[in-house]
PDB file of all heavy atoms in Angstrom:
ATOM      1  N   SER N 169     -18.987  -2.329 -22.327  1.00  0.00           N
ATOM      2  CA  SER N 169     -17.779  -2.977 -22.684  1.00  0.00           C
ATOM      3  C   SER N 169     -17.496  -4.146 -21.686  1.00  0.00           C
ATOM      4  O   SER N 169     -17.630  -3.973 -20.525  1.00  0.00           O
ATOM      5  CB  SER N 169     -16.573  -2.053 -22.638  1.00  0.00           C
ATOM      6  OG  SER N 169     -15.423  -2.669 -22.934  1.00  0.00           O
ATOM      7  N   VAL N 170     -17.196  -5.318 -22.282  1.00  0.00           N
ATOM      8  CA  VAL N 170     -16.728  -6.411 -21.582  1.00  0.00           C
ATOM      9  C   VAL N 170     -15.244  -6.560 -21.959  1.00  0.00           C
ATOM     10  O   VAL N 170     -14.925  -7.405 -22.832  1.00  0.00           O
ATOM     11  CB  VAL N 170     -17.509  -7.658 -21.806  1.00  0.00           C
ATOM     12  CG1 VAL N 170     -17.140  -8.788 -20.787  1.00  0.00           C
ATOM     13  CG2 VAL N 170     -19.022  -7.390 -21.687  1.00  0.00           C
ATOM     14  N   PRO N 171     -14.337  -5.930 -21.352  1.00  0.00           N
ATOM     15  CA  PRO N 171     -12.992  -5.981 -21.717  1.00  0.00           C
ATOM     16  C   PRO N 171     -12.296  -7.346 -21.534  1.00  0.00           C
ATOM     17  O   PRO N 171     -12.605  -8.019 -20.407  1.00  0.00           O
ATOM     18  CB  PRO N 171     -12.267  -4.875 -20.839  1.00  0.00           C
ATOM     19  CG  PRO N 171     -13.065  -4.741 -19.752  1.00  0.00           C
ATOM     20  CD  PRO N 171     -14.470  -5.035 -20.099  1.00  0.00           C
ATOM     21  N   LYS N 172     -11.402  -7.677 -22.292  1.00  0.00           N
ATOM     22  CA  LYS N 172     -10.632  -8.912 -22.147  1.00  0.00           C
ATOM     23  C   LYS N 172      -9.271  -8.629 -21.399  1.00  0.00           C
ATOM     24  O   LYS N 172      -8.753  -9.500 -20.686  1.00  0.00           O
ATOM     25  CB  LYS N 172     -10.248  -9.575 -23.493  1.00  0.00           C
ATOM     26  CG  LYS N 172      -9.882 -11.004 -23.352  1.00  0.00           C
ATOM     27  CD  LYS N 172      -9.880 -11.689 -24.786  1.00  0.00           C
ATOM     28  CE  LYS N 172      -9.700 -13.144 -24.662  1.00  0.00           C
ATOM     29  NZ  LYS N 172      -9.722 -13.891 -25.973  1.00  0.00           N
ATOM     30  N   LEU N 173      -8.844  -7.399 -21.538  1.00  0.00           N
ATOM     31  CA  LEU N 173      -7.581  -6.962 -20.938  1.00  0.00           C
ATOM     32  C   LEU N 173      -7.758  -5.602 -20.262  1.00  0.00           C
ATOM     33  O   LEU N 173      -8.455  -4.739 -20.922  1.00  0.00           O
ATOM     34  CB  LEU N 173      -6.465  -6.962 -21.870  1.00  0.00           C
ATOM     35  CG  LEU N 173      -5.917  -8.237 -22.616  1.00  0.00           C
ATOM     36  CD1 LEU N 173      -5.028  -8.014 -23.629  1.00  0.00           C
ATOM     37  CD2 LEU N 173      -5.293  -9.223 -21.599  1.00  0.00           C
ATOM     38  N   VAL N 174      -7.173  -5.341 -19.197  1.00  0.00           N
ATOM     39  CA  VAL N 174      -7.155  -4.093 -18.535  1.00  0.00           C
ATOM     40  C   VAL N 174      -5.728  -3.752 -18.102  1.00  0.00           C
ATOM     41  O   VAL N 174      -4.879  -4.721 -17.886  1.00  0.00           O
ATOM     42  CB  VAL N 174      -8.136  -3.934 -17.355  1.00  0.00           C
ATOM     43  CG1 VAL N 174      -9.592  -4.094 -17.817  1.00  0.00           C
ATOM     44  CG2 VAL N 174      -7.823  -4.921 -16.313  1.00  0.00           C
ATOM     45  N   ALA N 175      -5.429  -2.411 -18.046  1.00  0.00           N
ATOM     46  CA  ALA N 175      -4.053  -2.047 -17.607  1.00  0.00           C
ATOM     47  C   ALA N 175      -4.197  -0.772 -16.696  1.00  0.00           C
ATOM     48  O   ALA N 175      -5.118  -0.087 -16.828  1.00  0.00           O
ATOM     49  CB  ALA N 175      -3.141  -1.762 -18.776  1.00  0.00           C
ATOM     50  N   TYR N 176      -3.187  -0.795 -15.792  1.00  0.00           N
ATOM     51  CA  TYR N 176      -3.046   0.461 -14.867  1.00  0.00           C
ATOM     52  C   TYR N 176      -2.114   1.414 -15.628  1.00  0.00           C
ATOM     53  O   TYR N 176      -0.889   1.178 -15.781  1.00  0.00           O
ATOM     54  CB  TYR N 176      -2.673   0.206 -13.534  1.00  0.00           C
ATOM     55  CG  TYR N 176      -2.572   1.317 -12.578  1.00  0.00           C
ATOM     56  CD1 TYR N 176      -3.727   2.023 -12.193  1.00  0.00           C
ATOM     57  CD2 TYR N 176      -1.342   1.940 -12.195  1.00  0.00           C
ATOM     58  CE1 TYR N 176      -3.728   3.222 -11.450  1.00  0.00           C
ATOM     59  CE2 TYR N 176      -1.235   3.034 -11.409  1.00  0.00           C
ATOM     60  CZ  TYR N 176      -2.398   3.715 -11.034  1.00  0.00           C
ATOM     61  OH  TYR N 176      -2.460   4.703 -10.253  1.00  0.00           O
ATOM     62  N   THR N 177      -2.585   2.555 -16.099  1.00  0.00           N
ATOM     63  CA  THR N 177      -1.861   3.429 -16.933  1.00  0.00           C
ATOM     64  C   THR N 177      -1.499   4.788 -16.075  1.00  0.00           C
ATOM     65  O   THR N 177      -1.177   5.800 -16.665  1.00  0.00           O
ATOM     66  CB  THR N 177      -2.552   3.879 -18.222  1.00  0.00           C
ATOM     67  OG1 THR N 177      -3.874   4.437 -17.839  1.00  0.00           O
ATOM     68  CG2 THR N 177      -2.649   2.783 -19.110  1.00  0.00           C
ATOM     69  N   GLY N 178      -1.455   4.579 -14.774  1.00  0.00           N
ATOM     70  CA  GLY N 178      -1.142   5.785 -13.888  1.00  0.00           C
ATOM     71  C   GLY N 178       0.241   5.526 -13.263  1.00  0.00           C
ATOM     72  O   GLY N 178       0.447   6.448 -12.322  1.00  0.00           O
ATOM     73  N   ALA N 179       1.035   4.611 -13.592  1.00  0.00           N
ATOM     74  CA  ALA N 179       2.324   4.406 -12.955  1.00  0.00           C
ATOM     75  C   ALA N 179       3.401   4.851 -13.960  1.00  0.00           C
ATOM     76  O   ALA N 179       3.501   4.291 -15.034  1.00  0.00           O
ATOM     77  CB  ALA N 179       2.563   2.974 -12.538  1.00  0.00           C
ATOM     78  N   TRP N 180       4.159   5.924 -13.616  1.00  0.00           N
ATOM     79  CA  TRP N 180       5.088   6.456 -14.647  1.00  0.00           C
ATOM     80  C   TRP N 180       6.461   6.624 -13.981  1.00  0.00           C
ATOM     81  O   TRP N 180       6.634   6.762 -12.803  1.00  0.00           O
ATOM     82  CB  TRP N 180       4.612   7.923 -15.046  1.00  0.00           C
ATOM     83  CG  TRP N 180       3.249   8.019 -15.523  1.00  0.00           C
ATOM     84  CD1 TRP N 180       2.513   7.079 -16.223  1.00  0.00           C
ATOM     85  CD2 TRP N 180       2.329   9.078 -15.315  1.00  0.00           C
ATOM     86  NE1 TRP N 180       1.267   7.651 -16.442  1.00  0.00           N
ATOM     87  CE2 TRP N 180       1.201   8.872 -15.845  1.00  0.00           C
ATOM     88  CE3 TRP N 180       2.432  10.284 -14.504  1.00  0.00           C
ATOM     89  CZ2 TRP N 180       0.017   9.792 -15.845  1.00  0.00           C
ATOM     90  CZ3 TRP N 180       1.387  11.270 -14.551  1.00  0.00           C
ATOM     91  CH2 TRP N 180       0.185  10.902 -15.158  1.00  0.00           C
ATOM     92  N   THR N 181       7.457   6.628 -14.879  1.00  0.00           N
ATOM     93  CA  THR N 181       8.806   7.109 -14.587  1.00  0.00           C
ATOM     94  C   THR N 181       8.917   8.496 -15.355  1.00  0.00           C
ATOM     95  O   THR N 181       8.865   8.511 -16.564  1.00  0.00           O
ATOM     96  CB  THR N 181       9.880   6.139 -15.021  1.00  0.00           C
ATOM     97  OG1 THR N 181       9.826   4.967 -14.178  1.00  0.00           O
ATOM     98  CG2 THR N 181      11.229   6.822 -14.702  1.00  0.00           C
ATOM     99  N   TRP N 182       9.144   9.514 -14.603  1.00  0.00           N
ATOM    100  CA  TRP N 182       9.239  10.882 -15.260  1.00  0.00           C
ATOM    101  C   TRP N 182      10.676  11.002 -15.681  1.00  0.00           C
ATOM    102  O   TRP N 182      11.623  11.045 -14.814  1.00  0.00           O
ATOM    103  CB  TRP N 182       8.843  11.943 -14.327  1.00  0.00           C
ATOM    104  CG  TRP N 182       8.411  13.218 -15.099  1.00  0.00           C
ATOM    105  CD1 TRP N 182       9.024  13.882 -16.089  1.00  0.00           C
ATOM    106  CD2 TRP N 182       7.144  13.936 -14.876  1.00  0.00           C
ATOM    107  NE1 TRP N 182       8.320  14.960 -16.558  1.00  0.00           N
ATOM    108  CE2 TRP N 182       7.128  14.972 -15.792  1.00  0.00           C
ATOM    109  CE3 TRP N 182       6.106  13.706 -14.107  1.00  0.00           C
ATOM    110  CZ2 TRP N 182       6.141  15.832 -15.918  1.00  0.00           C
ATOM    111  CZ3 TRP N 182       4.999  14.626 -14.065  1.00  0.00           C
ATOM    112  CH2 TRP N 182       5.019  15.656 -14.997  1.00  0.00           C
ATOM    113  N   LYS N 183      10.882  11.077 -16.953  1.00  0.00           N
ATOM    114  CA  LYS N 183      12.307  11.035 -17.583  1.00  0.00           C
ATOM    115  C   LYS N 183      12.793  12.503 -17.639  1.00  0.00           C
ATOM    116  O   LYS N 183      12.119  13.396 -17.596  1.00  0.00           O
ATOM    117  CB  LYS N 183      12.304  10.391 -18.840  1.00  0.00           C
ATOM    118  CG  LYS N 183      11.855   8.993 -18.827  1.00  0.00           C
ATOM    119  CD  LYS N 183      11.789   8.399 -20.204  1.00  0.00           C
ATOM    120  CE  LYS N 183      13.253   8.245 -20.741  1.00  0.00           C
ATOM    121  NZ  LYS N 183      13.287   7.604 -22.074  1.00  0.00           N
ATOM    122  N   LYS N 184      14.164  12.504 -17.625  1.00  0.00           N
ATOM    123  CA  LYS N 184      14.844  13.775 -17.720  1.00  0.00           C
ATOM    124  C   LYS N 184      14.619  14.477 -19.136  1.00  0.00           C
ATOM    125  O   LYS N 184      14.413  13.857 -20.125  1.00  0.00           O
ATOM    126  CB  LYS N 184      16.387  13.680 -17.610  1.00  0.00           C
ATOM    127  CG  LYS N 184      16.619  13.285 -16.101  1.00  0.00           C
ATOM    128  CD  LYS N 184      18.258  13.075 -15.952  1.00  0.00           C
ATOM    129  CE  LYS N 184      18.539  12.679 -14.481  1.00  0.00           C
ATOM    130  NZ  LYS N 184      20.051  12.536 -14.383  1.00  0.00           N
ATOM    131  N   TYR N 185      14.794  15.794 -19.095  1.00  0.00           N
ATOM    132  CA  TYR N 185      14.618  16.530 -20.418  1.00  0.00           C
ATOM    133  C   TYR N 185      15.670  16.048 -21.391  1.00  0.00           C
ATOM    134  O   TYR N 185      16.893  15.930 -21.054  1.00  0.00           O
ATOM    135  CB  TYR N 185      14.810  18.019 -20.040  1.00  0.00           C
ATOM    136  CG  TYR N 185      14.881  18.912 -21.296  1.00  0.00           C
ATOM    137  CD1 TYR N 185      13.844  18.932 -22.178  1.00  0.00           C
ATOM    138  CD2 TYR N 185      16.000  19.752 -21.573  1.00  0.00           C
ATOM    139  CE1 TYR N 185      13.890  19.740 -23.346  1.00  0.00           C
ATOM    140  CE2 TYR N 185      16.025  20.611 -22.621  1.00  0.00           C
ATOM    141  CZ  TYR N 185      14.984  20.599 -23.484  1.00  0.00           C
ATOM    142  OH  TYR N 185      15.002  21.437 -24.600  1.00  0.00           O
ATOM    143  N   LYS N 186      15.312  15.765 -22.661  1.00  0.00           N
ATOM    144  CA  LYS N 186      16.070  15.259 -23.757  1.00  0.00           C
ATOM    145  C   LYS N 186      16.716  13.929 -23.506  1.00  0.00           C
ATOM    146  O   LYS N 186      17.699  13.606 -24.168  1.00  0.00           O
ATOM    147  CB  LYS N 186      17.197  16.380 -24.045  1.00  0.00           C
ATOM    148  CG  LYS N 186      16.716  17.628 -24.754  1.00  0.00           C
ATOM    149  CD  LYS N 186      17.834  18.436 -25.220  1.00  0.00           C
ATOM    150  CE  LYS N 186      17.273  19.648 -25.962  1.00  0.00           C
ATOM    151  NZ  LYS N 186      18.327  20.576 -26.427  1.00  0.00           N
TER     152      LYS N 186
END
Side-chain angles (χ1 to χ4, degrees):
S169 174
V170 189
K172 197 169 187 177
L173 297 169
V174 295
Y176 182 69
T177 54
W180 309 321
T181 296
W182 205 309
K183 300 180 64 179
K184 294 181 180 179
Y185 174 58
K186 288 190 175 180

